[in-house]
Every structure is written in C-alpha cells, then in structure tokens.
Amino acid sequence: MECSGREEMVFFDLETTVPMRTGGRFWVLEFGAIVVCPKRLVELDNYCTLIRPGDLSAVALTSGRCHGITRHAVAAAPKFEDVADTIFHILNGRIWAGHNIQRFDCARIREAFADIGRPAPQPIGMVDSLDVLRHKFGRRAGNLKMATLATYFGLGQQKHRSLDDVRMNLEVLKHCATVLLLESTLPDVLTGKGPSCSAGMMTRSKTNGRWCKEETCRKSPPSLAYQREVPCTKGKMADRARGVLCRTHEKPHLNGIDIILKHSPSLLR
C-alpha cells in the first residue's frame, strides 16, 4: 500500500550559518529531507545537498560549529537557485515535519525563495516535534533538544547534518509515541499513580502453580538502535551526487503514526 502525494509527510532539516551580529541574516548551507508514508512510517525517498551561500565569507574557513561545514565544503556546492526546483517539489503540498521547524526552518525556506524571486512552497499540514513533545511528552528526558532526546532513548549522538538529523527526528517520535501508548495502557503502573513492580510483587510460578515472590523485575528489552542510512549502490551514489532522489526499502521499525496522532490531536494545523 503506497501513499498518495497529499498523504506523504516530509521530514526536513536545514544547516545554516549563524549571524555574526544582531540583525544579520542566516545563509542555508545544507538541506536534507526524507519523504515518509505516515500509514507505515517507511521512508520512501530522500534528498540531501550542500548549498553555496550568497555570501561565502559568512562561512568559516575552519568550522567551529557542530555541523562541521566549512567554506571549502560549500565552495563548489550548487547555489540555492540551482536546487530550488527539487526542494520545491519535495516540500510543496505535503505535510511538513521536523524539530522546531515553525520558528526556524520554515522562515529560512521562505527567505531563500524570496532571495531568488520565487514563491516558497506551502505545506498542507505541520508537525513540529518540539511543540508536540512539549505538550505531550514533557521534560522527562531533560530539555527538549534533539541531542538530549536521542541520548535519553539510546539512539546515539546527534550528527548535526541534515539527513542524519531528520532520520533521528523520526526515531525519537516513534519512541515517544511508544512510551505514551504504554502509559495510556497501564496508567496506574507506568505513571507512578499505583503500585509498581518491586521486589515484593507476588507472581504465580509457572512450574508449580504456587504464588511466589520475584526478587527483581524483568529487565526491559534493549531499545531499538538508530537505523543509519542504507548504503546506496554505485548508481544511486552517482544520482545522489547530482541531487536526485534515492529510493530506499527499509522496513519500518514501528507502525506508530496513529499513536502520534492519537496522543496529539492538534498536530496538523
């Protein structure tokens, strides 16, 4: 079962420069996106490209930023106007998803299209995981930065590169949705409102049918490892170098978009 274009979600992320002074502008250095079927949470397409900014001097020769993108790295990259058609095609008329995209990434997309005198793409819905997690998941993991959430769920370190970050964003949402589902199923136990599993919990022995005490709770199964990108074939690598969408065939880890929607009725707006 495939998704129609209007049903597909696109998780996207930008890496940018940081203004050297108040009132200065951001320049987009990298755009990365994955197109996801929300019914199966399977990645359908992906795209990533470095972008040469309008002001190359705004990029440090040796990047001190966490993304590590240097002036040399983007000097030979395409300008935004060269990849604008592809970015517009990926974003326009789809549900947009990402972490803090309403306040940051969406504004940078509008600015970039305004720079080349073109109308910006428009979403049909928005899922900002920062707002979703603030209202539904809370600060149980600490702050709501992607790096903190990834560490909390054992998904590894955030790379601060666009394609890696959007895949991590999707995995974080899956894990948060699973926690919310479990808590809604056993609210008294998992939210601390009732008796919890302890050394004194009475359980029935499977060997003799008698009641006995378990010394410790069973350990939770290990968390799912963060899935890295499936290496492309030589042909696909060549396509990616030209900024062409690569199709992947990874199986979804969890069919949980309904979980997200169930616990977040106001996601799409």
Side-chain angles (χ1 to χ4, degrees):
M1 178 179 61
E2 296 295 337
C3 296
S4 67
R6 288 182 60 83
E7 292 175 333
E8 291 171 352
M9 300 176 67
V10 54
F11 283 77
F12 72 98
D13 178 73
L14 303 175
E15 297 298 336
T16 71
T17 61
V18 173
M20 300 299 294
R21 60 184 181 277
T22 303
R25 68 159 297 164
F26 295 87
W27 290 101
V28 177
L29 301 179
E30 187 176 46
F31 173 90
I34 58 173
V35 179
V36 174
C37 175
K39 294 180 179 179
R40 298 183 292 137
L41 291 187
V42 61
E43 183 179 320
L44 303 175
D45 291 297
N46 68 73
Y47 175 77
C48 187
T49 183
L50 289 172
I51 296 173
R52 178 189 172 102
D55 181 7
L56 195 58
S57 66
V59 189
L61 290 171
T62 303
S63 177
R65 300 209 64 210
C66 47
H67 56 54
I69 300 175
T70 64
R71 187 181 303 177
H72 175 74
V74 296
K79 297 179 180 179
F80 186 82
E81 61 192 53
D82 298 325
V83 295
D85 285 340
T86 302
I87 293 175
F88 187 93
H89 175 72
I90 292 171
L91 294 178
N92 195 51
R94 284 188 169 126
I95 301 168
W96 292 6
H99 203 66
N100 199 30
I101 57 173
Q102 291 193 85
R103 296 171 183 81
F104 186 80
D105 301 77
C106 293
R108 306 290 82 81
I109 288 291
R110 290 192 296 269
E111 292 169 357
F113 275 91
D115 285 343
I116 61 174
R118 291 183 50 175
Q122 297 297 324
I124 61 170
M126 189 85 67
V127 179
D128 191 321
S129 57
L130 178 61
D131 289 339
V132 171
L133 299 181
R134 179 183 289 120
H135 292 101
K136 298 298 180 181
F137 194 73
R139 294 183 177 271
R140 68 186 76 190
N143 61 41
L144 292 172
K145 294 181 179 179
M146 185 57 58
T148 304
L149 292 163
T151 299
Y152 179 79
F153 287 115
L155 299 175
Q157 293 186 335
Q158 185 182 7
K159 301 296 185 183
H160 293 283
R161 295 300 297 268
S162 295
L163 200 57
D164 290 318
D165 285 2
V166 291
R167 288 190 172 121
M168 178 170 278
N169 194 177
L170 177 57
E171 292 302 313
V172 165
L173 279 177
K174 289 179 184 179
H175 281 66
C176 290
T178 301
V179 170
L180 293 174
L181 172 66
L182 295 175
E183 288 182 352
S184 68
T185 304
L186 296 171
D188 291 340
V189 176
L190 297 181
T191 61
K193 296 179 180 179
S196 60
C197 183
S198 65
M201 179 174 286
M202 303 297 291
T203 60
R204 183 179 295 275
S205 169
K206 293 183 179 180
T207 56
N208 56 21
R210 297 179 180 177
W211 292 99
C212 62
K213 286 188 177 182
E214 285 188 353
E215 295 182 357
T216 59
C217 300
R218 293 183 180 179
K219 294 182 179 180
S220 301
S223 59
L224 295 175
Y226 175 51
Q227 296 297 311
R228 309 303 302 160
E229 177 184 0
V230 176
C232 289
T233 62
K234 183 176 181 180
K236 287 187 177 181
M237 289 296 288
D239 284 343
R240 180 167 294 175
R242 295 194 299 271
V244 178
L245 290 174
C246 292
R247 182 168 294 275
T248 59
H249 301 282
E250 294 181 357
K251 294 182 179 179
H253 299 292
L254 176 69
N255 187 10
I257 195 65
D258 289 337
I259 300 171
I260 298 173
L261 297 178
K262 174 181 176 182
H263 291 282
S264 307
S266 61
L267 288 182
L268 304 181
R269 49 186 179 272

